[in-house]
Amino acid sequence: MKKTMLTLALVAVLIMIAGAAYALRNSPIRVFDITPNPMDKECSITVGVTTPQNITIQIKAKDDELVREIYSGPVYKDISLTWNRYDYLGNFVPAGDYTVILSFDSRFTSLKKTLILK
């Protein structure tokens, strides 16, 4: 009985790993990076796609409040954008944790955390 349960658990893990590998292989994201991270005055957000995509890049605060939309539009290969710590109203945002949200055609989303030190 224990061998059967162990075998079933191992098969389930292998199926999950195979599913994750398939999803990564078919992901439209080739590159999604934030440098430097943690940041001080500004950061560069780099996105590379495998096929042309319509994307949206947003910055959200820890409380899930939208701080700023950095970009919304087509990307054909690679794009590099700079966030200078200013919000929609032109205010310099305080130090803390922020999330960069990358959305593709409203059906795929990737998140990265960034930390502002000062």
Side-chain angles (χ1 to χ4, degrees), residues 37-68:
N37 193 9
M39 64 183 271
D40 181 21
K41 295 183 183 192
E42 67 182 28
C43 70
S44 178
I45 302 166
T46 304
V47 176
V49 295
T50 56
T51 58
Q53 301 287 324
N54 286 315
I55 70 166
T56 301
I57 299 173
Q58 297 176 325
I59 310 292
K60 288 197 175 182
K62 203 173 193 178
D63 59 1
D64 206 34
E65 177 186 346
L66 181 62
V67 174
R68 186 168 178 191

Side-chain angles (χ1 to χ4, degrees), residues 37-115:
N37 193 9
M39 64 183 271
D40 181 21
K41 295 183 183 192
E42 67 182 28
C43 70
S44 178
I45 302 166
T46 304
V47 176
V49 295
T50 56
T51 58
Q53 301 287 324
N54 286 315
I55 70 166
T56 301
I57 299 173
Q58 297 176 325
I59 310 292
K60 288 197 175 182
K62 203 173 193 178
D63 59 1
D64 206 34
E65 177 186 346
L66 181 62
V67 174
R68 186 168 178 191
E69 186 171 284
I70 301 295
Y71 181 79
S72 183
V75 173
Y76 298 99
K77 192 171 182 180
D78 295 343
I79 188 171
S80 185
L81 305 158
T82 300
W83 179 43
N84 57 6
R85 284 184 64 178
Y86 287 96
D87 65 10
Y88 272 118
L89 302 173
N91 300 316
F92 200 66
V93 298
D97 296 326
Y98 293 86
T99 303
V100 180
I101 302 168
L102 173 63
S103 301
F104 287 86
D105 293 325
S106 303
R107 61 185 170 95
F108 184 88
T109 301
S110 185
L111 309 171
K112 287 226 176 198
K113 298 281 187 183
T114 189
L115 176 65

